[in-house]
Amino acid sequence: MRRPPVGWFTGSLVRATSLTDSARSLTFSVPGWPGNLAGQHVDLRLTASDGYQATRSYSIASVGPDTDVELAVERLPDGEVSPFLVDDLEVGDSVELRGPLGGWFVWRPEHPEPVQLIAGGSGVVPLLAMTRAHTDARSTVPMQLLYSLRTPEDALYRDELQQRSSTTPTTWHYTRTVPPGWTRAAGRLTPDDLRSATLPPERGPLTFVCGPTGFVETVARGLIDLGHQPDSIRTERFGGI
Amino acid sequence: MQHLDGNVLAGPASELFPSEPTTTRGQCLSCSDIATLAQAMVYGAPMGYVVRCRGCDGVLVVITEHDGQTTVNMHSLRLLSEL
Ligand SMILES: Cc1cc2nc3c(=O)[nH]c(=O)nc-3n(C[C@H](O)[C@H](O)[C@H](O)COP(=O)(O)OP(=O)(O)OC[C@H]3O[C@@H](n4cnc5c(N)ncnc54)[C@H](O)[C@@H]3O)c2cc1C
Ligand SMILES: [Zn+2]
């Protein structure tokens, strides 16, 4: 598949909003940015005054031809890069961005299959982009999200996902703390949860799974046990446990 | 740090592949598994990338990026056409 040239761009932070106590949405103005598909990511490079560089990958929350690029970063307390992006980067500051990157973990409105999205924690970012692309394209392909998170306070983009509930509905799953009145106790996603909250193999869905490495592997195995074809499951591991 | 997958190679490998790296398919010479690069397992990011077969865990290729220079050591991988 042809792709636009991948290059390094300079992005200057034009908007920053806190999403939760530990996560922040960062929008960069990126002159020359060729636009991006839903699910693509950037490599973000920081250079310290002594020349030391650190590069990390971040999914792109925004979609389409716009030259404003939105990322959403979760702070890992011991991390080298993420605490800086969440706590210290200020509007007007610049970073280097390489992209748009990736073609496998991408949803295109031309895909005919129904779509199941499964997110663990900040793994929701590229999947949110897919719901945005679905909305922008006025797609009629069924698309639904299963979003696993520790506590209700950890939800990224809750309002936006809820506003989209009639076209791309979200099933919320809590592993540590549930909201008041919730009928399901907090706990890990079980095979039964997966079965009841995802599109079954008979519907021939394309399933995107994203989150911490351990989450992705457990869910992917669970989907195969439910009878999904391995090639109908697309995974993206963010690292960690 | 636990492993990642081949999606993370999209940037580092972009200079080596004329087309999209993550949808490029390859065959493991040890176990014959055919997969896209995105489906491989990747260890050692972001210092370097040791790319292992999802099927047999054998090392397929090692990619390092240093001072803007990318080097690739092919171990046990046959590149096929893009998906
Ligand atoms: C393709 C791709 C897309 C990504 N998209 C996003 C995104 O949209 N938003 C986002 O917040 N992050 C995303 N990540 C993760 C991101 O690249 C960094 O790994 C993360 O921000 C941690 O970097 P750090 O420098 O703060 O931590 P490091 O200094 O690199 O690591 C600190 C410690 O945290 C552990 N650790 C590393 N990553 C994780 C993790 N994901 N979960 C738990 N523990 C971890 C490490 O083992 C280490 O012990 C993505 C990763 C990939 C490969
Ligand atoms: Zn193999």
Side-chain angles (χ1 to χ4, degrees):
Chain A
M1 177 166 320
R2 276 247 209 82
R3 51 156 196 203
V6 168
W8 284 101
F9 297 89
T10 302
S12 64
L13 188 65
V14 289
R15 257 190 320 284
T17 53
S18 106
L19 296 167
T20 68
D21 282 350
S22 63
R24 191 188 195 199
S25 151
L26 302 164
T27 301
F28 296 91
S29 166
V30 189
W33 181 255
N36 62 272
L37 302 166
Q40 288 189 303
H41 66 273
V42 291
D43 288 345
L44 183 154
R45 182 162 71 191
L46 299 173
T47 306
S49 48
D50 63 0
Y52 175 77
Q53 293 190 323
T55 306
R56 297 289 184 274
S57 301
Y58 292 100
S59 299
I60 308 171
S62 48
V63 283
D66 211 79
T67 55
D68 277 4
V69 174
E70 182 188 2
L71 312 180
V73 179
E74 176 103 46
R75 182 199 310 114
L76 293 180
D78 305 329
E80 186 180 332
V81 171
S82 61
F84 174 79
L85 295 176
V86 174
D87 301 325
D88 301 328
L89 195 72
E90 291 179 10
V91 168
D93 289 349
S94 290
V95 300
E96 288 177 284
L97 299 172
R98 175 166 61 186
L101 301 176
W104 168 254
F105 198 79
V106 160
W107 180 75
R108 293 178 173 80
E110 308 88 85
H111 283 161
E113 304 92 343
V115 185
Q116 178 67 53
L117 311 173
I118 307 179
S122 58
V124 76
V125 178
L127 307 185
L128 171 85
M130 294 179 193
T131 69
R132 286 178 169 179
H134 184 277
T135 301
D136 290 353
R138 299 171 190 276
S139 172
T140 53
V141 167
M143 178 184 278
Q144 61 181 48
L145 169 66
L146 169 58
Y147 187 2
S148 171
L149 57 171
R150 274 169 308 190
T151 77
E153 289 73 41
D154 290 314
L156 308 186
Y157 300 102
R158 179 188 293 278
D159 291 347
E160 182 175 337
L161 288 170
Q162 279 174 343
Q163 276 161 21
R164 222 170 267 139
S165 60
S166 61
T167 49
T168 55
T170 300
T171 302
W172 304 83
H173 180 92
Y174 301 100
T175 59
R176 293 250 179 93
T177 313
V178 295
W182 202 253
T183 47
R184 168 86 166 73
R188 300 222 153 233
L189 264 184
T190 65
D192 272 349
D193 293 320
L194 264 189
R195 192 198 326 276
S196 63
T198 62
L199 296 172
E202 303 80 75
R203 292 193 54 193
L206 189 55
T207 303
F208 291 88
V209 187
C210 188
T213 296
F215 174 85
V216 168
E217 304 210 328
T218 307
V219 169
R221 259 195 310 273
L223 290 169
I224 286 169
D225 290 345
L226 288 177
H228 290 270
Q229 290 302 315
D231 283 342
S232 72
I233 306 166
R234 301 208 173 184
T235 51
E236 183 163 85
R237 293 162 179 78
F238 273 11
I241 41 159
Chain B
M1 164 128 179
Q2 257 200 347
H3 62 279
L4 298 171
D5 54 46
N7 293 298
V8 76
L9 300 173
S14 62
E15 277 149 48
L16 306 158
F17 286 73
S19 51
E20 168 54 44
T22 58
T23 51
T24 299
R25 291 178 316 142
Q27 180 168 35
C28 171
L29 296 180
S30 305
C31 75
S32 303
D33 180 53
I34 294 177
T36 64
L37 199 59
Q39 293 173 302
M41 300 295 107
V42 174
Y43 293 78
M47 312 309 287
Y49 307 90
V50 179
V51 185
R52 289 180 178 272
C53 175
R54 62 173 182 177
C56 73
D57 212 34
V59 176
L60 301 171
V61 49
V62 177
I63 301 176
T64 50
E65 213 184 13
H66 191 66
D67 290 337
Q69 285 277 15
T70 307
T71 49
V72 178
N73 279 299
M74 297 292 268
H75 283 244
S76 177
L77 174 68
R78 188 201 338 259
L79 284 175
L80 305 171
S81 65
E82 217 187 330
L83 197 67

